[in-house]
Amino acid sequence: MDASGHRVAAPEEDQASRTSYLPLEAAFRGGETLRLFLPGITPRLHAVIRCLWTACVAVLAVHGAAFGQSPETAPRDARLKLDPLFRIHHPLRVSAAGARGTATMLSVRADSQIAGFAEFSGTRPRLEALGARVGTQQGSLFTVRIAAADLDRLIRDPELRSFQVARPLSLQLETSGPVIGTPEIHAPGPGFPNGIQGQGVLVGVADTGIDLDAADFKDGAGVTRVVGLWDQYNNMVYDEERLRAGVPVNQDRDGHGTHVTGIAAGNGRATGRGLPAFRHVGVAPLADIAVVKLDPIHSDVYMVEAVQYLFDLARSRGQDAVVNLSLGNQCGPRDGTSMLERMLSALTGPGRILVVSAGNDANDPIHTRIESGQGEARFSVLNCAWPGLNNDRVTLEAWGNPGLQASITLVSPSGSTFGPVAPGEESSFVSPEGDVTIFNGSDTWPLGRDLNTPVGNSSSWFVVAIADRTDAAHTPAAGEWTLSLSRQAGEGVFDLWVDGIGFTSCAPCGFATADPSRTLTVPGTCDSCITVGSFVTKVAWQDSSGLAAGYALHGIPVAEVGALSDFSSRGPRRDGLLRPDLAAPGQGVASSMSHDDSQEGWRIAEDASHVVKEGTSMAAPHVAGAVALLLQMRPHLLPARVRDILRRAAREDTFTGAVPNPQWGAGKLDLRRLIEVVNETLPGATREMSLSHVGSPSHAPVRFRILAGATHGPARLQVFSVDGRRIFQRDLGSIPAGLTEVEWDPTVNGSRAASGVYFARLRAGATLASDKVVLLR
C-alpha cells in the first residue's frame, strides 16, 4: 500500500510500477514472514535485495551464538514453543528509509520477570535449573516466572513443550438472600439445631482484597473471621494469629473483593444508622474466610497460585473449602483445555470446589461464527490513537474443529489486502493503516505436543492483530475490516472472538453479525468449575441520603426483576457442553462496602455500610456461599456431585423457560430445595463424621473440629503418642449435627507434651474418625 493508502499488488504480479511486498525470512523472527512496503521496486531489484537478505540471514544463523541470542533470535522450532500473543506483543521494530530497511528488536529488558504457564515434561528441579521460579505444579503444567534473559535457554530445552505468557483478567461486575431462600436454610431444623450457615467450611476469595475492618467479617466479640490473607501485591502472607492481632493494613481500594466476600460469607454486622441488624447477611455467615489480594494486573498465573494457597490453607486447617473467582478473560479455546483451566481443574477434588462467574459480555459483539471453515467476518474498529508506540492494538482469536484449516486474508477499510496467509504460517505486514500480524496456527504451536491431542481439542486456531508496533502513526484504521477464510482442509466451524483485554488497548466496536452465544469468559469454561450467570433481583432502592435511587433514575437500562441480566454471558462452551450451570442474583445486590472504595452516592445503601453493585461477579459468590452450606451438610463432596446437586435444586419459572438452556443453565439458585435434594441424592451420607484440627503444625492448645452430618451417640475423644500410649481422653456426650470444637492442652502425666507426632481418635457409637497432629512447643 502506498502513501495514499491504495492497495498494493503482490510481487508475483510482475509490474515494475507497482509497490511490492518484500518477504524477509529471518531466522531470528522464528519463522515469521515480515513483509515490508518498499515503493517503486522492480522485480529484478526485488530479487537482488531478497538474495542479499538471504545471505545476511545465513551469516546470522552461523554466527548467532557469538552475538548472544534472545527469544527473538531463537531458531524456528524453539521459538514456536512461545505463545503467539507474546510474539505479537514483543515484535520486531522495523524502520524504512528510502529503499533500505533496518530491523531492530522491540525487546524486553533482560532483567524483567515474565510470568507464564510452562508445559514441561521434565522435573521441577530441572525447570528451576533453567532459571524458572516455579509457583504451582499440576503434572506437567507449571506456573513460572523467568527473567527475559533466561527465556531463550528455556525455550531451547527439549523438555519444554510450550510457554504461554500470563494474561490479565477483568473483574466481572433489600438483600438478595430471601430471593434464594437463605432465611429458611439458616434457621434451625432437623439434624441441624444451629441452622446451616457454613460452620466449619472455609470460603476463599481471590479478588481485589478485603476491608478487614468491615464488621461483616467479625464475630460478636469483634474478632476477625478472616483466617488467612495473601497480599500478592506486597507478597505478604498473614496467618490467623497475625490477623487476630490486627497487624496487617490491607486496603481494598476497588471494593470489588469486599463486596464479593460479603455476598458469600458476610454476617450483616456492619448494618449502621440504627437500622435493623443483620439486614445484609451473606449466604454462609458462619463460615471461615480466607482472601487473596491478587496481583494488580489480575493475571491468570497469579490466580492459579491463589487457588492453590486457599485450598492448601483449608487442608492445613482440616476444612473443606469453596473458592470464588469473580474474574476472567476472553482468551483461549473455551472448552476447558487451556493451561489455566487444566491447572484449575487439577486443583479441585473432594471438598475442594471452584465457583466462577460467567462473564458480562453478552451485550458486546465479541463473538461470531464462520460455518464450513469458509466465509467472511466483518468487524468495525473505533478511532484510537494512544500516544506512543506499540500500545494501540486490536486482536482477534479463532478456534476451529479438529483438522479444519483455512488460509486467511485481511482487508482494511480502504481495501488494502494483507495475505493470504496459509495454514502453518505466521506473517507480519507494515502499514500506515496498522501493522498487521496473522498467525495461522494449524498444527505448529505448541511444538512438541502430541498432535493427536492438540491444544484446545483443536488443531486449528489463528490470531490476527492490528497494531502500531513499528510506528506510532500506524494506529488501526477506523472503519470496517473484513476477515476472509478460504478452507484448505477439514470440515466444521470457526468460532471467532475479540480479545477485549490483555493484548488489546483499542477495542473494536465488534463484529457486524455478532452471536451472543459462547461469550462465557475463561475460566468459566473450566471442566471442574461451577459457572454462574446473573439475574435481576432489585432495580430501585433508598440511598444513604434517604433519596430514591435505582438504575432507571441514572439512565442505566435494566430488565425487570427476575429476568436474566442482559449482560450475563451466554453458553454453551465451544465444544457444546452446557455452561453456565445455573444463575443467581447478580444485579441490584447490596453487600459489604470497603472504606477505601470511592462509590457514587446513589449506589450506597441507606445504612451507609453497604453498596449496590451488579455483574456475574455478584452472582458467583451466592453460589459459592451455597456450596459452603452444602459442604457443611455433606463434607468432602466431589465437584461433579456438587454440580449435580446445585442443578437439581435449581428452579425454573416464566423467566427461565424450559431448562436446561445456554442462558440460564439449570435455572435459578434455590436454597429451599437444597436439603431436599441432598437427602434425595445422598441418602447414605447422613451419618458422616470427620475429625480435624486447626493449624499444621499446631501449637498448644490444639483445637479439634468435629463435623457431623447428623446427631451421633455418646462420643469419646482420645489422643495417643507414637508409641501407642494414651495421653488424653475426654467424654463428649452426644455430638450434634454441624460443627463441634474441642480443645486439647497437650500434657503427659501433668507435664507439657513434647514436640512430635500424635494421633487422635474419635468414637461415637459405631462411627470412628481419626486425625494426625504435628505438635510444636
Side-chain angles (χ1 to χ4, degrees), residues 180-271:
I180 60 175
T182 52
E184 291 91 333
I185 200 168
H186 286 172
F192 292 91
N194 298 320
I196 304 169
Q197 302 186 57
Q199 297 96 316
V201 180
L202 183 71
V203 171
V205 176
D207 214 289
T208 63
I210 187 171
D211 183 351
L212 290 167
D213 292 328
D216 284 344
F217 311 126
K218 297 180 179 180
D219 62 19
V223 177
T224 184
R225 295 167 51 218
V226 181
V227 300
L229 169 65
W230 179 16
D231 181 350
Q232 290 184 339
Y233 183 81
N234 295 308
N235 196 28
M236 294 290 293
V237 177
Y238 303 94
D239 60 17
E240 184 175 8
E241 184 178 353
R242 295 185 68 189
L243 289 165
R244 290 192 171 193
V247 173
V249 176
N250 184 256
Q251 295 177 322
D252 180 12
R253 296 186 184 279
D254 186 280
H256 189 274
T258 299
H259 196 268
V260 163
T261 306
I263 295 170
N267 59 22
R269 291 184 179 276
T271 305

Side-chain angles (χ1 to χ4, degrees), residues 2 30 58 60 84 203 269 333 335 380 385 458 481 540-541 566-567 689 698-699 723 738 751 767:
D2 61 20
L60 287 174
V203 171
R269 291 184 179 276
D335 62 2
S380 298
S458 172
W481 292 70
W541 55 91
D566 57 0
F567 54 73
M689 184 177 68
S698 294
H699 303 271
D723 59 5
S751 301
T767 304

Side-chain angles (χ1 to χ4, degrees), residues 715-719 728-733 741-745 762:
R716 172 177 292 176
L717 177 65
Q718 298 174 312
V719 178
F728 173 78
Q729 178 174 299
R730 180 180 296 174
D731 291 325
L732 305 176
E741 292 194 347
V742 179
E743 280 196 354
W744 166 49
D745 189 7
L762 174 68

Side-chain angles (χ1 to χ4, degrees), residues 502-517:
F503 293 90
T504 304
S505 59
C506 174
C509 298
F511 293 108
T513 305
D515 178 2
S517 71

Side-chain angles (χ1 to χ4, degrees), residues 516-759:
S517 71
R518 295 170 177 82
T519 51
L520 297 169
T521 53
V522 176
T525 52
C526 168
D527 284 345
S528 291
C529 300
I530 311 297
T531 306
V532 188
S534 166
F535 66 87
V536 183
T537 51
K538 183 163 53 180
V539 296
W541 55 91
Q542 192 175 58
D543 68 18
S544 58
S545 300
L547 301 176
Y551 294 112
L553 292 174
H554 290 83
I556 299 176
V558 62
E560 61 182 304
V561 171
L564 188 72
S565 300
D566 57 0
F567 54 73
S568 186
S569 289
R570 275 61 162 168
R573 298 198 322 185
R574 186 177 64 88
D575 58 359
L577 190 67
L578 178 66
R579 292 290 190 280
D581 292 289
L582 72 168
Q587 192 161 9
V589 179
S591 182
S592 309
M593 182 174 70
S594 170
H595 293 97
D596 299 307
D597 180 13
S598 299
Q599 278 294 333
E600 299 170 282
W602 66 275
R603 287 186 174 274
I604 300 176
E606 57 181 324
D607 71 345
S609 297
H610 295 84
V611 62
V612 177
K613 295 189 178 186
E614 62 283 327
T616 56
S617 281
M618 284 66 247
H622 282 89
V623 174
V627 172
L629 306 182
L630 183 55
L631 292 174
Q632 178 190 345
M633 291 186 284
R634 296 293 183 268
H636 316 317
L637 290 176
L638 289 166
R641 178 68 80 176
V642 171
R643 186 195 312 279
D644 178 65
I645 292 173
L646 290 170
R647 285 182 174 182
R648 286 172 179 261
R651 62 183 171 87
E652 61 180 283
D653 58 19
T654 56
F655 292 105
T656 68
V659 291
N661 61 56
Q663 295 77 39
W664 291 89
K668 295 180 175 179
L669 174 66
D670 188 350
L671 298 183
R672 301 175 186 89
R673 297 196 60 230
L674 204 60
I675 297 178
E676 176 186 344
V677 172
V678 167
N679 290 332
E680 286 176 357
T681 57
L682 301 171
T686 57
R687 300 196 60 81
E688 286 185 357
M689 184 177 68
S690 64
L691 176 67
S692 60
H693 64 281
V694 176
S696 183
S698 294
H699 303 271
V702 176
R703 184 157 37 125
F704 287 106
R705 291 171 173 261
I706 303 168
L707 194 60
T711 301
H712 287 260
R716 172 177 292 176
L717 177 65
Q718 298 174 312
V719 178
F720 300 88
S721 63
V722 290
D723 59 5
R725 290 180 299 120
R726 187 181 68 206
I727 62 173
F728 173 78
Q729 178 174 299
R730 180 180 296 174
D731 291 325
L732 305 176
S734 181
I735 300 293
L739 177 68
T740 300
E741 292 194 347
V742 179
E743 280 196 354
W744 166 49
D745 189 7
T747 57
V748 178
N749 298 325
S751 301
R752 293 167 60 90
S755 298
V757 178
Y758 296 86
F759 298 93

Side-chain angles (χ1 to χ4, degrees), residues 440-525:
N440 195 349
S442 185
D443 295 331
T444 62
W445 189 87
L447 194 74
R449 177 180 292 274
D450 179 359
L451 295 183
N452 293 320
T453 56
V455 71
N457 284 339
S458 172
S459 58
S460 183
W461 72 294
F462 63 82
V463 177
V464 174
I466 313 166
D468 57 343
R469 72 178 201 168
T470 67
D471 190 315
H474 289 188
T475 57
E480 188 173 77
W481 292 70
T482 302
L483 184 71
S484 298
L485 303 184
S486 177
R487 186 177 65 85
Q488 304 295 301
E491 299 289 342
V493 177
F494 274 106
D495 282 286
L496 287 73
W497 288 273
V498 173
D499 175 10
I501 59 170
F503 293 90
T504 304
S505 59
C506 174
C509 298
F511 293 108
T513 305
D515 178 2
S517 71
R518 295 170 177 82
T519 51
L520 297 169
T521 53
V522 176
T525 52

